[in-house]
Amino acid sequence: MLVYPSGVDVSSSALRFLAARLREHRRALGTRWRRLNAGRQALLTLAHLRNGQPYAQLAAGFGIGTATAYRYITEAAHLLAALAPTLTEAVRTASAKAYVILDGTLLPIDRIAADRPFYSGKHKKHSMNVQVIADPKGRLMWASPALAGAVHDVRAAREHGIIEALAEAGITWWADKGYQGAGGTARLPYRGRWDSLSTGQQAVNRFHAKIRALVEQAIATLKSWRLLRKLRCSTTRITSLVQAVLVLQLAATG
Protein backbone atom coordinates (compact mmCIF):
# COMPACT_ATOMS: atom_id res chain seq x y z
CA MET A 1 0.00 0.00 0.00
CA LEU A 2 1.32 3.45 -0.92
CA VAL A 3 1.66 5.97 1.91
CA TYR A 4 1.49 9.76 1.47
CA PRO A 5 1.36 12.84 3.77
CA SER A 6 -2.09 14.16 4.55
CA GLY A 7 -3.78 16.64 6.87
CA VAL A 8 -6.65 16.79 9.36
CA ASP A 9 -8.66 20.00 9.63
CA VAL A 10 -9.07 19.87 13.41
CA SER A 11 -7.82 22.46 15.89
CA SER A 12 -4.65 21.69 17.81
CA SER A 13 -6.60 22.20 21.04
CA ALA A 14 -8.64 19.07 20.27
CA LEU A 15 -5.42 17.12 19.70
CA ARG A 16 -3.90 18.36 22.96
CA PHE A 17 -7.12 17.61 24.84
CA LEU A 18 -7.33 14.02 23.61
CA ALA A 19 -3.60 13.38 24.04
CA ALA A 20 -3.79 14.58 27.67
CA ARG A 21 -6.76 12.27 28.38
CA LEU A 22 -4.90 9.34 26.83
CA ARG A 23 -1.80 10.01 28.93
CA GLU A 24 -3.92 10.06 32.07
CA HIS A 25 -5.58 6.82 30.99
CA ARG A 26 -2.24 5.13 30.35
CA ARG A 27 -0.91 6.20 33.74
CA ALA A 28 -4.03 4.81 35.41
CA LEU A 29 -3.53 1.49 33.58
CA GLY A 30 0.20 1.43 34.30
CA THR A 31 1.03 1.14 30.60
CA ARG A 32 4.78 1.24 29.96
CA TRP A 33 5.12 0.99 26.19
CA ARG A 34 2.95 1.09 23.08
CA ARG A 35 3.56 1.25 19.36
CA LEU A 36 2.26 4.83 19.32
CA ASN A 37 2.68 7.45 22.01
CA ALA A 38 -0.39 9.27 23.33
CA GLY A 39 0.00 12.14 20.88
CA ARG A 40 0.17 9.82 17.87
CA GLN A 41 -2.77 7.76 19.12
CA ALA A 42 -4.76 10.98 19.47
CA LEU A 43 -3.84 12.01 15.92
CA LEU A 44 -4.81 8.56 14.62
CA THR A 45 -8.22 8.86 16.29
CA LEU A 46 -8.83 12.38 15.01
CA ALA A 47 -7.92 11.33 11.46
CA HIS A 48 -10.46 8.50 11.63
CA LEU A 49 -13.27 10.57 13.13
CA ARG A 50 -12.70 13.69 11.03
CA ASN A 51 -11.86 12.15 7.68
CA GLY A 52 -13.62 8.80 8.01
CA GLN A 53 -10.58 6.93 6.69
CA PRO A 54 -10.63 3.11 6.97
CA TYR A 55 -8.52 1.37 9.58
CA ALA A 56 -6.30 -0.32 6.98
CA GLN A 57 -5.33 2.98 5.38
CA LEU A 58 -4.63 4.64 8.71
CA ALA A 59 -2.67 1.62 9.90
CA ALA A 60 -0.40 1.84 6.84
CA GLY A 61 0.14 5.55 7.35
CA PHE A 62 1.00 5.19 11.04
CA GLY A 63 3.12 2.06 10.58
CA ILE A 64 0.99 -0.23 12.74
CA GLY A 65 -1.27 -3.24 12.18
CA THR A 66 -4.93 -2.84 11.25
CA ALA A 67 -6.04 -4.58 14.46
CA THR A 68 -3.85 -2.22 16.48
CA ALA A 69 -5.34 0.82 14.73
CA TYR A 70 -8.86 -0.45 15.48
CA ARG A 71 -7.97 -1.08 19.12
CA TYR A 72 -6.35 2.34 19.60
CA ILE A 73 -9.24 4.22 17.99
CA THR A 74 -11.88 2.27 19.90
CA GLU A 75 -10.09 2.89 23.17
CA ALA A 76 -9.85 6.63 22.53
CA ALA A 77 -13.47 6.87 21.39
CA HIS A 78 -14.75 5.14 24.53
CA LEU A 79 -12.55 7.34 26.67
CA LEU A 80 -13.98 10.47 25.05
CA ALA A 81 -17.57 9.20 25.15
CA ALA A 82 -17.30 8.75 28.92
CA LEU A 83 -16.62 12.50 29.19
CA ALA A 84 -19.71 13.54 27.23
CA PRO A 85 -22.16 15.77 29.13
CA THR A 86 -25.29 14.07 30.39
CA LEU A 87 -28.72 15.46 29.62
CA THR A 88 -28.91 16.76 33.20
CA GLU A 89 -25.65 18.65 32.72
CA ALA A 90 -26.80 19.99 29.36
CA VAL A 91 -30.07 21.23 30.87
CA ARG A 92 -28.14 22.91 33.68
CA THR A 93 -26.07 24.76 31.07
CA ALA A 94 -29.20 25.55 29.06
CA SER A 95 -30.85 27.16 32.09
CA ALA A 96 -28.55 30.14 31.58
CA LYS A 97 -29.82 30.58 27.99
CA ALA A 98 -32.93 32.44 26.88
CA TYR A 99 -34.04 29.26 25.09
CA VAL A 100 -32.64 26.27 23.24
CA ILE A 101 -33.40 24.67 19.88
CA LEU A 102 -34.06 20.95 19.48
CA ASP A 103 -33.91 18.95 16.28
CA GLY A 104 -33.21 15.43 15.14
CA THR A 105 -30.75 14.35 12.48
CA LEU A 106 -30.25 11.04 10.71
CA LEU A 107 -26.83 9.44 10.40
CA PRO A 108 -26.72 7.11 7.37
CA ILE A 109 -25.62 3.52 8.00
CA ASP A 110 -24.86 0.56 5.74
CA ARG A 111 -27.80 -1.71 6.54
CA ILE A 112 -29.66 -4.00 4.18
CA ALA A 113 -33.35 -3.87 3.23
CA ALA A 114 -34.25 -6.49 5.86
CA ASP A 115 -33.16 -4.17 8.68
CA ARG A 116 -36.51 -2.38 8.86
CA PRO A 117 -36.08 -0.84 12.34
CA PHE A 118 -33.24 1.26 10.93
CA TYR A 119 -35.14 2.42 7.84
CA SER A 120 -36.57 5.93 7.83
CA GLY A 121 -39.64 5.98 5.62
CA LYS A 122 -39.56 9.78 5.50
CA HIS A 123 -35.97 10.00 4.29
CA LYS A 124 -35.92 6.65 2.41
CA LYS A 125 -32.66 5.39 3.90
CA HIS A 126 -31.23 3.28 6.70
CA SER A 127 -29.98 5.47 9.49
CA MET A 128 -29.71 6.27 13.19
CA ASN A 129 -31.68 9.08 14.84
CA VAL A 130 -29.70 11.54 17.00
CA GLN A 131 -31.34 14.43 18.84
CA VAL A 132 -29.35 17.67 18.96
CA ILE A 133 -29.72 20.64 21.32
CA ALA A 134 -28.29 23.99 20.20
CA ASP A 135 -28.06 27.34 21.96
CA PRO A 136 -29.62 30.58 20.58
CA LYS A 137 -26.52 31.16 18.45
CA GLY A 138 -26.69 27.75 16.84
CA ARG A 139 -23.79 26.27 18.81
CA LEU A 140 -23.80 22.58 19.61
CA MET A 141 -24.62 21.89 23.26
CA TRP A 142 -25.63 18.24 23.45
CA ALA A 143 -26.24 15.18 21.29
CA SER A 144 -28.29 12.19 22.34
CA PRO A 145 -27.52 8.48 22.17
CA ALA A 146 -28.42 7.06 18.77
CA LEU A 147 -31.74 5.33 18.16
CA ALA A 148 -32.89 3.38 15.09
CA GLY A 149 -33.80 5.60 12.14
CA ALA A 150 -37.43 4.46 12.13
CA VAL A 151 -37.97 6.29 15.43
CA HIS A 152 -39.70 9.66 14.90
CA ASP A 153 -38.24 12.80 16.45
CA VAL A 154 -40.94 13.40 19.07
CA ARG A 155 -40.77 9.77 20.19
CA ALA A 156 -36.97 9.95 20.38
CA ALA A 157 -37.19 13.14 22.45
CA ARG A 158 -39.58 11.42 24.85
CA GLU A 159 -37.47 8.27 25.12
CA HIS A 160 -34.39 10.32 26.00
CA GLY A 161 -36.38 12.35 28.55
CA ILE A 162 -35.56 15.62 26.81
CA ILE A 163 -39.08 17.07 26.86
CA GLU A 164 -39.60 16.29 30.53
CA ALA A 165 -36.16 17.58 31.55
CA LEU A 166 -36.61 20.91 29.76
CA ALA A 167 -40.14 21.32 31.13
CA GLU A 168 -39.02 20.68 34.71
CA ALA A 169 -36.26 23.26 34.31
CA GLY A 170 -38.70 25.75 32.77
CA ILE A 171 -36.58 26.08 29.63
CA THR A 172 -38.32 27.14 26.43
CA TRP A 173 -37.30 25.11 23.40
CA TRP A 174 -38.04 25.65 19.72
CA ALA A 175 -38.54 22.82 17.26
CA ASP A 176 -40.18 21.94 13.94
CA LYS A 177 -43.48 20.20 13.17
CA GLY A 178 -41.90 16.81 13.84
CA TYR A 179 -42.44 17.50 17.55
CA GLN A 180 -46.17 18.18 17.36
CA GLY A 181 -47.91 17.02 20.52
CA ALA A 182 -44.76 17.25 22.64
CA GLY A 183 -46.32 19.69 25.10
CA GLY A 184 -44.23 21.03 27.93
CA THR A 185 -42.33 24.23 27.15
CA ALA A 186 -42.15 23.61 23.40
CA ARG A 187 -42.57 26.38 20.84
CA LEU A 188 -43.80 24.85 17.59
CA PRO A 189 -45.04 26.34 14.30
CA TYR A 190 -48.69 26.40 13.33
CA ARG A 191 -49.76 23.35 11.32
CA GLY A 192 -51.59 23.46 8.02
CA ARG A 193 -51.10 24.57 4.44
CA TRP A 194 -49.54 28.00 4.11
CA ASP A 195 -52.52 29.48 2.28
CA SER A 196 -54.87 28.19 4.98
CA LEU A 197 -53.03 30.04 7.77
CA SER A 198 -54.03 33.52 8.85
CA THR A 199 -51.69 36.45 8.27
CA GLY A 200 -50.71 36.41 11.92
CA GLN A 201 -50.00 32.67 11.87
CA GLN A 202 -47.87 33.05 8.76
CA ALA A 203 -45.87 35.80 10.46
CA VAL A 204 -45.35 33.58 13.52
CA ASN A 205 -44.20 30.68 11.34
CA ARG A 206 -41.73 32.90 9.46
CA PHE A 207 -40.24 34.11 12.74
CA HIS A 208 -40.19 30.57 14.07
CA ALA A 209 -38.35 29.30 10.98
CA LYS A 210 -35.61 31.92 11.41
CA ILE A 211 -34.96 30.81 14.96
CA ARG A 212 -35.20 27.09 14.30
CA ALA A 213 -32.86 27.31 11.30
CA LEU A 214 -29.98 28.00 13.68
CA VAL A 215 -29.98 24.40 14.86
CA GLU A 216 -28.81 23.43 11.37
CA GLN A 217 -25.46 25.02 12.25
CA ALA A 218 -25.11 22.66 15.20
CA ILE A 219 -26.03 19.65 13.05
CA ALA A 220 -23.57 20.76 10.36
CA THR A 221 -20.89 21.02 13.05
CA LEU A 222 -21.58 17.44 14.11
CA LYS A 223 -21.48 16.16 10.55
CA SER A 224 -18.30 18.05 9.72
CA TRP A 225 -16.76 14.93 11.30
CA ARG A 226 -16.99 12.90 8.11
CA LEU A 227 -17.18 9.50 9.76
CA LEU A 228 -20.75 10.38 10.79
CA ARG A 229 -21.82 11.00 7.19
CA LYS A 230 -21.78 7.27 6.41
CA LEU A 231 -21.25 4.83 9.26
CA ARG A 232 -20.03 1.36 8.34
CA CYS A 233 -19.72 -0.12 11.82
CA SER A 234 -21.95 -2.00 14.22
CA THR A 235 -24.93 0.08 15.31
CA THR A 236 -23.94 -0.64 18.92
CA ARG A 237 -20.83 1.52 18.46
CA ILE A 238 -22.53 4.57 16.98
CA THR A 239 -23.53 6.21 20.26
CA SER A 240 -19.95 6.18 21.54
CA LEU A 241 -18.71 7.67 18.26
CA VAL A 242 -21.30 10.47 18.37
CA GLN A 243 -20.47 11.20 22.01
CA ALA A 244 -16.74 11.20 21.23
CA VAL A 245 -17.25 13.73 18.45
CA LEU A 246 -19.42 15.86 20.76
CA VAL A 247 -16.69 15.97 23.41
CA LEU A 248 -14.00 16.88 20.87
CA GLN A 249 -16.17 19.62 19.38
CA LEU A 250 -16.95 21.09 22.79
CA ALA A 251 -13.26 20.93 23.72
CA ALA A 252 -12.25 22.68 20.49
CA THR A 253 -14.75 25.52 20.97
CA GLY A 254 -13.96 26.06 24.62
Side-chain angles (χ1 to χ4, degrees):
M1 185 178 293
L2 297 175
V3 178
Y4 63 92
S6 185
V8 184
D9 57 338
V10 178
S11 71
S12 58
S13 61
L15 177 65
R16 291 193 298 270
F17 174 83
L18 178 53
R21 303 292 82 74
L22 287 169
R23 292 188 191 98
E24 293 170 359
H25 181 63
R26 292 184 180 193
R27 283 196 295 268
L29 293 177
T31 302
R32 294 187 177 183
W33 181 85
R34 290 196 182 188
R35 291 292 302 275
L36 298 181
N37 61 33
R40 294 286 285 173
Q41 183 181 356
L43 183 59
L44 170 73
T45 304
L46 291 177
H48 178 65
L49 295 175
R50 189 67 170 185
N51 294 338
Q53 289 181 297
Y55 297 114
Q57 292 181 7
L58 290 169
F62 281 80
I64 57 177
T66 302
T68 301
Y70 172 83
R71 188 171 65 252
Y72 280 4
I73 291 170
T74 301
E75 178 187 46
H78 282 305
L79 184 62
L80 287 169
L83 301 174
T86 64
L87 178 59
T88 299
E89 292 169 338
V91 169
R92 189 179 305 123
T93 301
S95 63
K97 310 292 183 182
Y99 57 86
V100 296
I101 314 168
L102 174 66
D103 200 4
T105 187
L106 293 180
L107 305 180
I109 58 175
D110 60 343
R111 299 287 97 178
I112 60 175
D115 295 320
R116 297 301 299 177
F118 300 99
Y119 186 77
S120 169
K122 177 181 177 181
H123 295 274
K124 311 298 182 186
K125 60 184 177 183
H126 291 82
S127 55
M128 300 294 284
N129 180 303
V130 173
Q131 297 293 298
V132 173
I133 295 178
D135 70 9
K137 294 185 178 180
R139 294 175 297 201
L140 181 65
M141 294 180 62
W142 182 77
S144 74
L147 295 176
V151 178
H152 295 170
D153 282 339
V154 68
R155 177 184 161 194
R158 288 195 178 108
E159 288 195 20
H160 294 308
I162 301 170
I163 297 171
E164 182 181 357
L166 293 174
E168 288 182 354
I171 300 171
T172 299
W173 55 281
W174 297 67
D176 63 20
K177 296 177 182 178
Y179 295 86
Q180 290 291 343
T185 51
R187 294 293 180 270
L188 307 175
Y190 286 103
R191 296 183 67 180
R193 294 172 56 88
W194 183 258
D195 55 9
S196 69
L197 299 178
S198 68
T199 302
Q201 290 173 331
Q202 290 178 356
V204 168
N205 278 11
R206 277 194 291 266
F207 179 71
H208 185 282
K210 289 180 181 179
I211 292 179
R212 200 198 62 76
L214 293 171
V215 75
E216 297 300 333
Q217 296 179 25
I219 291 174
T221 296
L222 195 66
K223 291 186 176 180
S224 66
W225 298 79
R226 298 176 188 89
L227 182 70
L228 301 184
R229 297 179 187 176
K230 183 66 173 181
L231 289 152
R232 295 177 173 84
C233 61
S234 168
T235 55
T236 60
R237 295 186 56 223
I238 293 176
T239 289
S240 64
L241 293 173
V242 171
Q243 298 298 303
V245 166
L246 172 65
V247 170
L248 287 170
Q249 190 61 44
L250 293 177
T253 57

